[in-house]
Amino acid sequence: MGMREGPASRDSQFRGIDTDALSHLIDQIRAATSAIDGWLAQNRPPAGVSSPGYRQASAVELWANEQMGMLTRRRNYALTHRDKPTVVAPAPPVTPKPTPKQTPEPAPKTPKPKFKKKELVLTGSGEIGNFPNTKAAEKAAASDALAIKTAQQNHRPVPDEAWKHLAAHSHDPEYTAALYERLGPEGVAQLIKAAGTNQTEIKAIIESVTAADHLLHMDDKWIAALLAEADRLNDRQHVLEVLSTTPLVTKLAEATKLSADSLAYTLRAV
């Protein structure tokens, strides 16, 4: 289905996921399942007629749909976990010292590094965090979001288990995006307030917001609602300090009518 298109087919040293080719494969599977579903809906077997072929087609459609979550997750995870090949320079050749009766042999040529160019290489296909597919990641996020929101509504501390999960999955784009989508900007502001000066919890928030930014559209309205809740909690400065080290810093600067540099200077001056 075209998985050998792109870097993987051009570079024998390529490892990991070719995200463009994977996107193409996902589109193909989506089109195939849609075609099977449409055909089955319009061509039901007559009463009394054996239908093993129909059952097989339904089984294929079910299998393909199950692959979508896994493949989509692999693509999302690869896009947010880029790495670079490690280029190790070969050790210089050892040239034997000549004796008076020997003629020194020419030193062998130094071999070139294995990777001459720094091509974009993505994390291997098995590295998809702690969940096998998108559905599992989103289900875990929904459970943790419910626990956090329940604690917030009852004015209780965020459960330790929720903090542990956030730290454990802080680099997972699908878990974090689903979590923050359910918490909403107000819930995120409250979560930052709950973290206080706990550096472990603040680190988990910074890393998870950075991961979520790849999939969750946190636009100007979202940022404005977050800052409004921070004001209500009398915690605006703290929220700005935490989020200023995330990709949201530009949007924060726009929302506060300050340039990114001015915002950073203001925070340093406090």
Side-chain angles (χ1 to χ4, degrees):
M1 289 189 179
M3 280 300 288
R4 292 297 298 172
E5 299 173 5
S9 63
R10 298 192 299 268
D11 183 2
S12 62
Q13 303 299 339
F14 181 88
R15 62 185 177 82
I17 296 175
D18 182 341
T19 52
D20 289 338
L22 184 52
S23 295
H24 182 59
L25 174 61
I26 291 171
D27 289 341
Q28 288 180 311
I29 293 178
R30 185 177 290 113
T33 55
S34 178
I36 294 173
D37 183 61
W39 189 89
L40 288 173
Q42 296 175 17
N43 298 273
R44 305 311 302 172
V49 176
S50 177
S51 58
Y54 290 85
R55 290 196 298 272
Q56 290 175 3
S58 295
V60 170
E61 180 188 17
L62 177 61
W63 176 86
N65 278 321
E66 289 175 346
Q67 307 313 302
M68 291 295 294
M70 177 272 292
L71 293 173
T72 301
R73 175 163 172 74
R74 288 178 184 274
R75 180 181 182 277
N76 289 336
Y77 208 86
L79 286 172
T80 54
H81 291 74
R82 299 171 186 270
D83 60 11
K84 295 181 180 180
T86 301
V87 180
V88 180
V94 178
T95 305
K97 295 181 179 180
T99 62
K101 294 182 179 181
Q102 288 181 324
T103 301
E105 296 181 1
K109 294 182 179 180
T110 302
K112 295 181 180 180
K114 192 173 182 180
F115 292 95
K116 185 176 180 181
K117 297 180 180 179
K118 293 183 178 180
E119 297 94 348
L120 174 65
V121 180
L122 301 175
T123 302
S125 60
E127 299 294 333
I128 54 172
N130 301 314
F131 306 105
N133 53 47
T134 299
K135 185 177 180 179
E138 292 178 344
K139 182 178 179 180
S143 177
D144 288 335
L146 178 61
I148 293 171
K149 293 190 75 170
T150 299
Q152 292 172 343
Q153 291 167 0
N154 294 325
H155 305 289
R156 294 178 179 175
V158 172
D160 290 340
E161 199 69 16
W163 283 119
K164 290 178 182 178
H165 292 169
L166 182 60
H169 312 314
S170 63
H171 294 283
D172 191 310
E174 294 182 342
Y175 169 88
T176 55
L179 178 76
Y180 288 132
E181 182 177 22
R182 285 167 173 77
L183 289 181
E186 295 84 0
V188 174
Q190 294 173 32
L191 187 66
I192 295 173
K193 170 115 176 143
T197 59
N198 187 309
Q199 293 304 307
T200 299
E201 294 171 359
I202 289 175
K203 179 174 181 288
I205 292 174
I206 291 173
E207 291 177 348
S208 57
V209 168
T210 299
D213 183 62
H214 292 279
L215 296 179
L216 181 60
H217 182 54
M218 294 176 275
D219 57 15
D220 295 341
K221 291 182 179 179
W222 199 94
I223 296 297
L226 184 149
L227 292 178
E229 179 64 9
D231 287 336
R232 189 187 71 81
L233 297 170
N234 196 28
D235 198 45
R236 184 186 183 93
Q237 190 67 25
H238 182 216
V239 168
L240 290 176
E241 288 173 358
V242 172
L243 296 182
S244 65
T245 57
T246 73
L248 298 185
V249 63
T250 302
K251 296 176 183 178
L252 288 170
E254 293 173 355
T256 55
K257 307 302 181 183
L258 295 171
S259 67
D261 290 340
S262 296
L263 176 59
Y265 177 80
T266 300
L267 293 173
R268 287 197 302 269
V270 174

